[in-house]
Amino acid sequence: MTEEDSFTNDETGDVVRRERFSSGPAREFLSSLDADERIFTADIAVDRAHVIMLAEQEILEVDTAGEILSALTDIETAGHQNLPAGEDVHAAIETAVINRVGDEGGRMHTARSRNDEVATCIRYRLREDLLAVLQSLLDAREVLLSEAAEHVETIMPGYTHLQPAQPVTVGFWLASYENALARDTERILDAYDRVNQSPLGAAAFAGTTFDIDRGRTAELLGFEGVIENAMDASTTRDMLVESVNSVATLGLTCSSVAEDGIIFSNRGFIELNDDYASTSSIMPQKKNPDTLELVRAAAGEVIGCYTGLATTLKGLPRAYNRDLQRATTYMWDAVDAAQDAVDVTAGAISTATWNTSKLQSAAGEGFSTATGVADLLAQNGIPFRIAHEIVATAAEPVEEADETETAVELLDEAGEEVFGEAVTNRVEIQQLLKALDPTANVAARDSRGGPAPEELTRAIADAKNRLDEDRNALDNRKTAVKKASKQLTAEVDNYV
Ligand code: ARG
């Protein structure tokens, strides 16, 4: 290193390499060092695996490898905040290594580029984040299913267009969201498996003249395989698009749970635990569902990240372009927001209290049993379209009738008017009264996937089995990552 290439840091006394460019006014703008804190540990791991592979391939002397690996441990202990200046975490860690080892430390960057390095770090860290989201997701599903099992018979109104539609149960509502979260799980697991591939060794984008072993670094870092084409490996960020997309879908699911929760609180169907509510600074009587509103907003944030990411990537030419640096942060913001959304949603729902009597009386409002009544007429020989018309004709007065007996009379009148026959000619009064009762009305809807308590109980048991399978899928992936990380530590210990 010549004197022009370096200067001494006044505070630390360390030799700091002067960057060839980027030390001018755009220095801050160019740097990703602060944002790179997220991949600090990942970068140390990637450096370790690379150095070990270089030593195994006899590209690097074993002693030099040992010195670099010791320096890396030292740098890891000192932490990201103590890194020397640098354009990014990769440059800063390399400088820190050279500061400790001397010029020989510069051999660490043999046969690689920051381009394959950063791509590897992102994947390495993203794995961890996706595993954490998956863990939260599975816990949320567990909460929804056990709550659902407790409420298979708790009648509540069901809505379409936010209008009373048909009575259902609280368990049915909860299970519907668990089923959606199960698909969100599948999508994230799927994305994970494509994230979990190693680009390391692609170098800048065009491979290297050194006899490296890409399979070995992949193995040391716990990746399932290697992304073959070097230009693709170092450049692509489709794993970010896919991952943001999958957590955005999760965010959307949570936002709908949240919106329902907000509406249910408004109607007094549900009371949130104080931990999940806020009050007003001026209106002392207020208890607001703020956490659920923030979940709703978090989904917007994740979608914003998706848009930002895709817009950044759109039309980028091959191969590496610096735009990619600003693509990464969308991923971290998205995964953080999605994680919060799912945790808070699960917490709010599991601690909320359902007002069962209010739900029960609201369940029959707006003649919500009408479809069941029409079904009954159709099951007794009246063509469904005519049955629909009879019930529609009766709907308005029935809605106002306060006795089910009066409702039967009104249905009879409507039958005569539309069909030329009183409906009680065709259907037993007892059956009609049952169809008009929300609880019996729900119990009759026992088609596959319907809300009848028995059918719902079967569906919940199935969903629990699927949840167990997903727990295994997650555990396998976690174990593989942990095992690789232990192995890497053991390999490092052979050198230091
Ligand atoms: N910090 C950069 C990023 O996040 C990686 C460095 C690659 N820089 C370069 N000029 N090729 O993408």
Side-chain angles (χ1 to χ4, degrees), residues 1 6 14-17 60 63-72 74-75 93-109:
M1 218 188 290
S6 62
D14 283 345
V15 175
V16 177
R17 285 179 312 139
L60 196 61
D63 288 351
T64 313
E67 281 180 52
I68 295 173
L69 290 169
S70 304
L72 286 171
D74 201 30
I75 293 160
I93 290 179
E94 189 184 337
T95 304
V97 167
I98 293 169
N99 283 342
R100 285 165 173 79
V101 175
D103 279 347
E104 285 295 300
R107 294 191 190 274
M108 180 170 78
H109 208 54

Side-chain angles (χ1 to χ4, degrees), residues 220-330:
L220 285 167
L221 293 167
F223 288 110
E224 277 300 313
V226 161
I227 300 175
E228 208 63 40
N229 181 288
M231 190 182 307
D232 178 37
S234 59
T235 312
T236 190
R237 293 294 184 272
D238 58 357
M239 78 291 187
L240 297 185
V241 178
E242 189 179 9
S243 300
V244 175
N245 194 339
S246 65
V247 299
T249 316
L250 166 62
L252 290 180
T253 309
C254 294
S255 75
S256 286
V257 179
E259 176 68 3
D260 273 352
I262 292 163
I263 293 167
F264 294 167
S265 317
N266 170 272
R267 296 186 182 167
F269 294 163
I270 199 172
E271 182 169 352
L272 291 184
N273 184 287
D274 287 355
D275 289 345
Y276 288 92
S278 279
T279 186
S280 156
S281 60
I282 176 171
M283 299 168 282
Q285 85 287 8
K286 293 277 276 176
K287 180 169 175 182
N288 301 322
D290 293 41
T291 53
L292 296 179
E293 290 163 359
L294 286 167
V295 167
R296 209 166 47 178
E301 203 176 315
V302 186
I303 292 158
C305 290
Y306 180 87
T307 312
L309 174 65
T311 313
T312 305
L313 299 180
K314 182 191 166 295
L316 280 188
R318 284 287 198 235
Y320 183 88
N321 297 275
R322 195 58 172 271
D323 312 49
L324 294 180
Q325 177 167 294
R326 291 183 91 118
T328 313
T329 42
Y330 290 116

